[in-house]
Amino acid sequence: AEDFVARIGGDEFVVLTRGNDSHGELAALADRIVRTMHQPVNYEGHECRFGVSIGIASECGTDLDGRQLLINADIALYRAKARGRKCYEFFSDALQAEVVHTKRLADEILNGLERDEFVAYYQPQFDANTLDVVGVEALARWRHPTEGIKTPDCFIPIAEELNVMATIDKLILEQSLAALGRWDAMGLVVPRASVNVSLRRLHDEELITSLRRLDITPGRVSFELVESIYLDDSDDTVSWNIDQIKELGIDV
């Protein structure tokens, strides 16, 4: 009866509870909310179920910063969603340090794009019988100014959140085409370059227009759809782009 509940956004709510609540009691409250919200609701003849994620922040004392408490709870909520939803997470100093690290990394990625620090490394592909080079796979690397070469696992998750993976895909493709041209001029036989394509790139309505400008020779390039892509037949833009990519002579 002493608690306060507010709706602060479309589907965001805040519960303010005062007293000597321990972590255990707060966890029990969060668990009860999760379980109760998951109960089915009938709406216009349909049975609907809802998932809920909860971030918890608590402070003791008389001089409390309400705004910071909300920020801390939101940080914890972000982690709860990342864990797969339908769960709760407590704010902690370690979690805050992780958020600060993520923010720093995000800034460095954006600066790295401006400074052309993202480059293609090439992994040869061989014919198993003749050992002839049949192509190369272009792999994105980050030439970090202080930490050296960084592999995709160090930057792709943050790059996806920043919506810049399509930009990195485009850079790697352009670098691969330039490399094919250099190898041809040197007399090196590299029949094809294979590059990864993110889901964000496949959603780009201008993708085919930009690919046509590159004047790609049919058969010289193939696109690998990364594992995170889920091809939904109802996604018209993705399906259309894949069909048009094949029309341009680019293998998928």
Side-chain angles (χ1 to χ4, degrees), residues 149-171:
I149 300 298
K150 300 176 80 69
T151 50
D153 57 299
C154 297
F155 60 83
I156 281 184
I158 306 301
E160 287 179 337
E161 289 187 19
L162 291 171
N163 293 334
V164 297
M165 268 314 301
T167 302
I168 294 175
D169 285 349
K170 183 172 180 288
L171 288 173

Side-chain angles (χ1 to χ4, degrees), residues 184-225:
D184 287 347
M186 296 167 62
L188 292 176
V189 180
V190 181
R192 183 171 69 175
S194 173
V195 298
N196 288 323
V197 179
S198 65
L199 181 59
R200 181 76 60 180
R201 186 95 161 112
L202 287 177
H203 272 115
D204 184 0
E205 295 181 354
E206 299 299 318
L207 173 61
I208 303 305
T209 301
S210 65
L211 290 177
R212 288 197 178 107
R213 291 196 198 103
L214 295 175
D215 195 24
I216 299 172
T217 302
R220 293 304 302 276
V221 172
S222 66
F223 284 174
E224 290 196 12
L225 309 186

Side-chain angles (χ1 to χ4, degrees), residues 6-23:
R7 178 188 181 205
I8 62 169
D11 61 350
E12 291 189 79
F13 298 83
V14 166
V15 177
L16 174 65
T17 177
R18 294 175 294 178
N20 297 317
D21 289 324
S22 66
H23 266 44

